[in-house]
Amino acid sequence: MSPEMPTPGRSEGTTWRRRGRRYVCPLLVRQFPSELPFGFLGRVAPPSPGVELTLEADRIPADRALEIVQGARSVAETELLDGGGGASVAQLEVERRSADELGRELAGRLQELWRVGLRWVASADSRARAEGERLRLTERLAAVGFRTRVPRYEIAEALAPPGRWGGQRRPSGYWQTMTTDGLAAFYPFGDESIVDPGGVLVGLSLSDASPVFLDRWAQASYSWGVFGTTGAGKSFAASLIALRTRWLRPETELVVLDPLGEYAGLVQALGGTVVHLRDPSQGRLNPLDPVTTGGDLREKASRVVTMLRALWPSLRDEEAATLDAAVSRLYARGDREPTMDELAEELARGPAADGRLPTLAEVFRTGSLAGVNGPTTLQVEDRTLAVDLSGLPEEHLPFHLTYVLDWTYHRLVGRPGPKIVLLDEAHLIARHPGTIEFLDRAVRHLRHFRAGLLLLTQDPEDLLQSSSGRSLLRNLSATAFLRLAEVSPACRAFFGLSTSEAEWLTKARLPTDAGYAESLWRVGPWHLPLAIIASTPEYELLGSALGGGRDLPADPASAARAGGL
Ligand SMILES: Nc1ncnc2c1ncn2[C@@H]1O[C@H](COP(=O)(O)OP(=O)(O)OP(=O)(O)O)[C@@H](O)[C@H]1O
Ligand SMILES: [Mg+2]
């Protein structure tokens, strides 16, 4: 009879043990991946009673830690001198370099070394099921680069509770040497300071489903960014944040700049107004109205030039200079509200009257932008408002967005209470140096009157290209990355993402597959992998409000379970 045959009453085999009614099967780590994949715990051990991880850690004194690292460095050095031996020269060079780097970090007290005892235990109500659970765990660990070992004839040592063996009798593979960063990767993100009292729920930790609350009003800047490829769930996440903010602080004003016309349902559900820019019967916004700068005509003239350059990106330098001069003359006429008609006249009168500009300006008189020709007539008093830009020619969107942003900015100045401006499809503005600079300035000033921007765009690269874009990114107090198509080295470096984080982001699960969105939040020093998940009532509200009626997943409860609820 094989020693592994289940015998009635038998309580231990070479690789398993019975504990009460359950069978437990330990698993040890033989070799770690070169870098711990980000968020790996959530993937390797999805919340289930069948898998348990035990960890004990002792700090290695600093002088001993340095000795270990120097030892590793000299081994690599010696092998390199010997021409590499069995290992590749490139690999040995990497080892030597990382030993040098770690040595510096240890000396600077940026890292420490730890002696870590690590063991996984799979369990189930039958031996076969427990072994199956261990096998699946082995496969999941292998998929993220771990090599594991099933301890044989060492069951007592492998399963002994932490501390009992005083560190002496453990199976090989139990003790590992790790850096503080490596050890930290094993911990769920339960730090109290990321649970802002009075904050909104932004997501559930992917490693242990603990909720993470953030309070933008307690942060240095009230502006956040949300980045993700198409369909990653940006608009949904932003709507969820807006909704939860309103529940928590009903006095919060919300203005949505909505290029695709997706937010009408949400804004109406919140009792607000939707302004359709394509519909002149609702009233007009005059891009030239100097009220937006509180009568500061120089500032207004410069914003108008920015708007028009976004409309006519092909202007040559001399044309831009002519435009600038015409706009200045327009405002030099005094503190009154000019119209596009007057601007066209001014362009026709100037030194370049026979150039392209007067022809381009015809668009405001007889062309598709005639709707903005005339004084401002739009009046909206609601605390909740969407400006819907859908149905307008795509090439005009940067222009429309810029003057609407100018108008929004003015509207929020001086009003009491917290305010959020949600700007979707921000890439439309980010591509033009003038408009992105305007947005950057707006973000910096918004906080002085308790307003924050919620900026959404598909690719952070859009903003990394210019110094204003980078300045804007630095002024976001939270950045949420959803699935990204790719993460460039420049993007990694700017946001301080590790290679495994960057790699993980290109594979983060999409809401269409998972029923929730996987995301990585950068908040201060923290990098938090979170599931952005809506409760059923939220989902029902947003599902029908956003984009006018989206389908519910077949089984929202299973989506919630998959999210670790
Ligand atoms: N956290 C979520 N939970 C459940 N469903 C979601 C979630 N996020 C998004 N969805 C659904 O996934 C689809 C795509 O989401 P969304 O429109 O927010 O993507 P997006 O990133 O804004 O895409 P685009 O760049 O094309 O605007 C929508 O049908 C939305 O209802
Ligand atoms: Mg969207």
Side-chain angles (χ1 to χ4, degrees), residues 306-307 309-310 398-399 401-402 405 428-441 468 472:
T306 301
M307 289 165 202
R309 294 203 66 176
F399 165 71
L401 265 177
T402 314
L405 193 67
L428 289 167
I429 283 194
R431 298 216 178 112
H432 302 274
T435 49
I436 187 70
E437 194 200 320
F438 173 53
L439 187 64
D440 171 40
R441 270 193 292 144
S468 307
L472 191 161

Side-chain angles (χ1 to χ4, degrees), residues 229-236 262 425 458 511 515-517 532 539 550:
T229 187
T230 179
K234 300 179 295 296
S235 302
F236 188 94
E262 294 175 280
E425 308 288 338
Q458 289 189 6
Y516 58 92
I532 301 176
Y539 191 90
R550 312 245 200 192

Side-chain angles (χ1 to χ4, degrees), residues 283-290 337-343 364-365 369-378 403:
R284 179 194 306 110
L285 282 179
N286 175 13
L288 303 181
D289 191 346
E337 182 184 350
T339 61
M340 286 295 184
D341 240 342
E342 292 166 26
L343 175 64
F364 295 115
R365 290 176 137 167
L369 288 171
V372 298
N373 186 8
T376 298
T377 53
L378 182 74
Y403 72 78

Side-chain angles (χ1 to χ4, degrees), residues 15-35:
T15 62
W16 57 271
R17 171 183 275 182
R18 200 167 73 198
R19 223 188 245 159
R21 286 163 173 262
R22 288 184 81 77
Y23 288 76
V24 292
C25 295
L27 185 69
L28 301 174
V29 172
R30 198 148 50 88
Q31 198 182 327
F32 278 80
S34 53
E35 198 169 351

